[in-house]
Amino acid sequence: GENVEQHPSTLSVQEGDSAVIKCTYSDSASNYFPWYKQELGKGPQLIIDIRSNVGEKKDQRIAVTLNKTAKHFSLHITETQPEDSAVYFCAAILGGGADGLTFGKGTHLIIQP
Amino acid sequence: EADIYQTPRYLVIGTGKKITLECSQTMGHDKMYWYQQDPGMELHLIHYSYGVNSTEKGDLSSESTVSRIRTEHFPLTLESARPSHTSQYLCASSDRRGVNSPLHFGNGTRLTVT
């Protein structure tokens, strides 16, 4: 069936280094790809999203790239800081989008001091 | 900060009890959702609604039921709680005027059934 694959499930990086999380999707008709950050005890919060008419979008230390041909998109965080430690989810609207977003399984990002 | 609220934040209840998890949003969003989040972090859609009097089942089969009598309110009910219902339940909403509108999540209800 339609799904979103996310890797890695856990990522540990030194403070100041970059972190990259990758996702692939199955529905070639998908055209909206958000990323959510979930901190402990809170619900997921949208941090950046990209639509299929662009290949890259940046917001300060966060960027997302999209390759529609290969059906994959990635989250890039530069100059990581302790407050970046959280669980990150990619998502896509699959199968026409009538039933909302389909999420990847999440990446637990750990920033080592 | 999105204006979507879930109560209670934590609930510990015995097997067989009926429970209702509350979700309210003040943004006037038409679409609302319930996700179940397991300990491994994965989010599963269990219910959604396009608007008042609309309710649909999501990808993950759930014994819970929902209702949508008012735009701002989307409660989830379990008639008879079981230990297998122990999980985190997240409510979300989005503005249906855009097909690709972002979801706004509440902070969740962590349910433990003993």
Side-chain angles (χ1 to χ4, degrees):
Chain A
E2 307 283 16
N3 63 2
V4 177
E5 299 282 343
Q6 182 172 347
H7 300 280
S9 57
T10 304
L11 178 61
S12 180
V13 302
Q14 289 294 125
E15 182 178 349
D17 288 350
S18 295
V20 181
I21 302 169
K22 299 181 179 180
C23 287
T24 60
Y25 59 97
S26 54
D27 184 358
S28 57
S30 298
N31 58 10
Y32 175 63
F33 308 93
W35 284 89
Y36 286 80
K37 175 184 181 181
Q38 185 175 22
E39 296 176 324
L40 197 61
K42 296 187 177 182
Q45 299 295 314
L46 179 73
I47 55 171
I48 195 167
D49 57 12
I50 191 168
R51 300 175 197 276
S52 59
N53 57 343
V54 298
E56 183 176 4
K57 183 176 178 181
K58 291 185 73 173
D59 183 3
Q60 300 182 352
R61 296 185 298 107
I62 293 172
V64 56
T65 58
L66 171 65
N67 184 328
K68 282 221 75 180
T69 303
K71 292 191 284 188
H72 68 70
F73 57 112
S74 300
L75 178 72
H76 304 254
I77 305 174
T78 58
E79 300 171 25
T80 52
Q81 299 169 6
E83 55 265 34
D84 295 330
S85 293
V87 178
Y88 291 80
F89 293 94
C90 63
I93 295 178
L94 304 179
D99 55 352
L101 291 168
T102 297
F103 287 86
K105 292 187 177 181
T107 296
H108 188 189
L109 177 61
I110 302 165
I111 308 301
Q112 303 279 6
Chain B
E1 200 82 15
D3 296 321
I4 180 162
Y5 307 100
Q6 290 186 244
T7 57
R9 286 297 311 276
Y10 303 94
L11 179 62
V12 180
I13 202 160
T15 297
K17 300 291 186 184
K18 177 180 178 178
I19 59 169
T20 297
L21 308 185
E22 302 288 350
C23 175
S24 296
Q25 51 95 5
T26 59
M27 297 171 283
H29 286 169
D30 287 311
K31 296 181 79 171
M32 295 189 74
Y33 311 81
W34 277 102
Y35 284 86
Q36 185 172 337
Q37 185 170 33
D38 59 29
M41 304 182 298
E42 195 169 357
L43 292 157
H44 299 283
L45 180 67
I46 53 174
H47 298 283
Y48 60 101
S49 167
Y50 291 115
V52 171
N53 294 326
S54 156
T55 60
E56 306 287 343
K57 290 193 179 294
D59 304 320
L60 182 68
S61 175
S62 174
E63 292 165 347
S64 59
T65 59
V66 293
S67 62
R68 190 86 184 277
I69 298 171
R70 302 198 316 264
T71 298
E72 62 271 21
H73 198 212
F74 191 40
L76 181 145
T77 298
L78 277 165
E79 291 293 332
S80 179
R82 294 209 297 269
S84 60
H85 297 139
T86 294
S87 190
Q88 163 106 311
Y89 293 85
L90 289 161
C91 180
S93 71
S94 69
D95 184 351
R96 96 168 175 189
R97 282 174 295 176
V99 173
N100 299 326
S101 296
L103 262 61
H104 300 270
F105 282 89
N107 284 329
T109 293
R110 182 163 295 282
L111 173 66
T112 302
V113 183
T114 60

